[in-house]
C-alpha cells in the first residue's frame, strides 16, 4: 500500500469517527433524555401515579431514535405494592425530534413486565366516580405500545404468563388494532385480536366495523364481525355474528347481541350457537353472573347460574362425564337451568 492511499484511508476513518462522535453527542444534546423522563413522570403524577427508573434513560439512534429505560416501576401515590414492574422499556421517538421538534413519543415498548391485578384494582378504587348520567368517554392514547414477555398476577398468584400486547394509537375516528396473547397458569395458550374504528360523538362511543378473533391453538377459533355502542354506565349495546371452528367437533354459527339495562331489565348478553347437532339460545346477565361466581369463589352455598334460555346437545363431555340427548331449559320465572328429558338421556364415565 503506497503512502498516499494509506493517508487517504486514515483520513476517511478519522472523518467517519468524527461523524459518529458528533452524532453521539448530538443525540444526547438534542434528545435530552432528562426532558422525556420528566415528561413521563409528570404525566404519571397527573394520573395519581409514581414512575421511577433504576438508572437514567440512555438515548439510541438505531433503528429509530429512542430512549432506553431500565428498571421501570409504576405505583399509585402512597401505595406499597407496584402496579407494574418492568425490566426494560423503550420510548420510540419520531425523527423530527432530532431537529428540535416537539417532545412527542410515537411508541412505548415494555419488556419483562409484571402486572398486578390487585394493585391496579386498588388504584382504580381511588379514582373519583363518574356520574351515572355522564356519557361515554374515549381515553386517547397518543402513542402505540407493546408489552412483551409479561406476566399477570394477583398478588403472588400467577394468572397469565408469556403476555404479549401490541396496540396502535387510540384516537377518535382512527382505525385501531389490538393483539393480545398469553398462557394461562396451566400453560393453555389464548389469543385475542381486535380491529375497529372508534368514534365518539355527543357522549356515544361507537366501535364501527369491528372484527374480533378469539382463539386457543389446537382447540378453537372464533371470529365475529359487527359493531358496538356505549352511552355511559351500563348502557352498552352490540350486534356481532360469526363462526366458531373446533378441533374436536363440528363448527358453530354464532350470533351475539348485547342489550343495555333499563328500568325493568338488567344488562343482558344474548348468545346463539347453531351447529350440526347442538343448539344454544341463552340470555346471560353478566353483572348477576359475576356476583354468582364471586359467591361461589368465596365459599358460598353452590347454586345454579342465573341464565335464561335453552341448551340442546347431542353429546356433552365435561370433566370425565358424558351425557347424550341433553336438553336444558331455564324460564324467566325460574332463572336457573332445569334439566328436562324429551329425548332419552344417559350419563356414563368416560372409559
Amino acid at each position: 500500500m503506497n503512502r498516499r492511499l494509506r493517508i487517504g484511508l486514515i483520513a476517511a476513518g478519522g472523518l467517519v469517527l468524527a461523524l459518529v462522535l458528533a452524532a453521539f453527542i448530538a443525540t444526547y444534546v438534542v434528545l435530552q433524555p432528562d426532558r422525556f423522563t420528566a415528561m413521563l413522570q409528570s404525566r404519571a403524577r397527573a394520573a395519581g401515579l409514581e414512575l421511577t427508573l433504576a438508572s437514567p434513560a440512555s438515548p439510541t439512534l438505531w433503528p429509530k431514535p429512542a430512549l432506553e429505560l431500565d428498571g421501570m416501576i409504576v405505583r399509585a401515590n402512597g401505595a406499597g405494592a407496584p402496579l407494574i414492574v418492568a425490566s426494560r422499556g423503550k420510548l420510540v421517538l419520531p425523527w423530527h425530534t432530532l431537529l428540535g421538534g416537539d417532545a412527542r413519543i410515537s411508541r412505548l415498548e415494555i419488556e419483562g413486565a409484571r402486572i398486578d391485578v390487585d394493585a391496579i384494582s386498588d388504584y382504580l378504587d381511588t379514582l373519583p366516580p363518574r356520574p351515572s348520567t355522564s356519557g361515554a368517554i374515549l381515553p386517547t392514547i397518543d402513542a402505540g405500545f407493546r408489552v412483551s414477555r409479561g406476566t399477570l398476577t394477583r398478588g403472588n398468584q400467577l394468572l397469565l404468563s408469556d403476555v404479549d400486547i401490541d396496540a396502535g394509537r387510540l384516537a377518535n375516528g382512527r382505525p385501531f388494532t389490538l393483539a393480545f396473547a398469553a398462557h394461562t397458569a396451566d400453560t393453555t395458550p389464548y389469543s385475542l385480536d381486535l380491529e375497529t374504528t372508534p368514534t365518539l360523538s355527543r357522549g356515544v362511543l361507537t366501535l364501527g366495523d369491528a372484527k374480533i378473533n378469539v382463539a386457543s391453538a389446537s382447540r378453537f377459533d372464533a371470529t365475529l364481525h359487527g359493531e358496538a355502542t356505549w352511552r355511559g354506565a351500563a348502557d352498552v349495546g352490540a350486534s356481532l355474528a360469526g363462526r366458531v371452528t373446533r378441533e374436536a367437533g363440528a363448527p358453530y354459527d354464532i350470533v351475539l347481541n348485547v342489550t343495555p339495562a333499563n328500568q325493568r331489565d338488567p344488562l343482558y348478553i344474548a348468545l346463539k350457537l347453531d351447529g350440526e347437532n347442538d343448539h344454544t339460545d341463552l340470555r346471560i346477565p353478566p353483572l348477576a353472573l359475576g356476583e354468582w361466581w364471586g359467591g361461589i369463589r368465596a365459599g358460598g352455598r353452590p347454586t345454579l347460574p342465573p341464565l335464561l334460555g335453552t341448551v340442546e346437545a347431542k353429546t356433552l363431555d365435561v370433566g370425565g362425564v358424558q351425557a347424550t340427548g341433553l336438553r336444558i331449559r331455564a324460564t324467566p320465572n325460574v332463572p336457573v337451568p332445569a334439566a328436562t328429558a324429551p329425548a332419552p338421556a344417559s350419563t356414563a364415565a368416560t372409559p
Side-chain angles (χ1 to χ4, degrees):
M1 180 182 297
N2 59 41
R3 184 170 179 273
R4 181 176 297 177
L5 180 59
R6 185 167 60 252
I7 293 174
L9 290 176
I10 292 174
L15 178 60
V16 171
L17 181 61
L19 290 175
V20 171
L21 182 60
F24 182 75
I25 296 174
T27 300
Y28 270 90
V29 172
V30 176
L31 291 184
Q32 300 176 20
D34 290 344
R35 69 168 176 164
F36 284 96
T37 302
M39 181 179 66
L40 276 180
Q41 292 173 332
S42 175
R43 291 182 178 179
R45 283 192 298 270
L49 300 171
E50 177 186 349
L51 169 66
T52 58
L53 301 175
S55 59
S58 57
T60 179
L61 285 177
W62 184 259
K64 291 183 178 181
L67 296 177
E68 301 281 354
L69 310 174
D70 289 328
M72 295 178 57
I73 299 178
V74 179
R75 55 166 44 91
N77 288 335
L83 282 69
I84 302 174
V85 177
S87 58
R88 295 181 57 193
K90 178 185 286 188
L91 302 179
V92 181
L93 311 172
W95 280 102
H96 70 75
T97 306
L98 295 176
L99 303 177
D102 295 337
R104 186 170 63 84
I105 301 169
S106 60
R107 187 168 177 81
L108 171 63
E109 299 178 359
I110 300 176
E111 184 178 349
R114 181 180 183 273
I115 305 170
D116 190 336
V117 174
D118 283 344
I120 293 176
S121 178
D122 292 341
Y123 161 70
L124 294 176
D125 289 341
T126 66
L127 300 179
R130 299 181 68 242
S132 59
T133 56
S134 58
I137 60 172
L138 178 64
T140 300
I141 302 176
D142 294 332
F145 67 91
R146 169 78 184 273
V147 176
S148 59
R149 297 195 305 107
T151 56
L152 190 69
T153 65
R154 175 176 286 119
N156 294 322
Q157 178 188 359
L158 176 65
L159 300 179
L160 297 175
S161 62
D162 298 324
V163 175
D164 194 298
I165 307 172
D166 195 341
R169 179 187 176 193
L170 180 59
N172 188 26
R174 290 179 58 93
F176 173 73
T177 59
L178 171 68
F180 175 88
H183 288 77
T184 58
D186 62 357
T187 71
T188 303
Y190 287 93
S191 66
L192 182 148
D193 294 279
L194 168 66
E195 299 177 10
T196 187
T197 301
T199 304
L200 181 63
S201 177
R202 298 181 179 180
V204 179
L205 176 62
T206 301
L207 301 181
D209 194 22
K211 177 181 178 182
I212 302 172
N213 178 263
V214 181
S216 180
S218 301
R219 300 181 67 187
F220 73 90
D221 189 296
T223 301
L224 297 171
H225 296 82
E227 70 172 29
T229 58
W230 179 41
R231 293 176 172 82
D235 195 344
V236 180
S239 179
L240 301 165
R243 192 169 179 82
V244 180
T245 58
R246 302 179 298 159
E247 291 289 332
Y252 288 116
D253 290 325
I254 180 172
V255 176
L256 185 131
N257 291 296
V258 180
T259 55
N262 54 41
Q263 294 181 349
R264 186 182 63 181
D265 298 318
L267 174 71
Y268 269 111
I269 298 176
L271 175 66
K272 291 185 179 181
L273 294 173
D274 288 310
E276 182 178 351
N277 299 304
D278 308 322
H279 304 279
T280 298
D281 189 351
L282 289 176
R283 294 180 68 203
I284 306 167
L287 299 181
L289 188 63
E291 293 178 358
W292 169 82
W293 180 243
I296 296 294
R297 288 179 58 88
R301 184 173 61 87
T303 59
L304 294 174
L307 304 177
L308 303 174
T310 59
V311 176
E312 299 179 15
K314 184 177 181 180
T315 61
L316 183 68
D317 192 347
V318 179
V321 176
Q322 185 182 72
T324 60
L326 178 68
R327 180 180 175 85
I328 298 175
R329 178 177 177 82
T331 65
N333 293 329
V334 185
V336 293
T340 61
S346 63
T347 60
T350 303

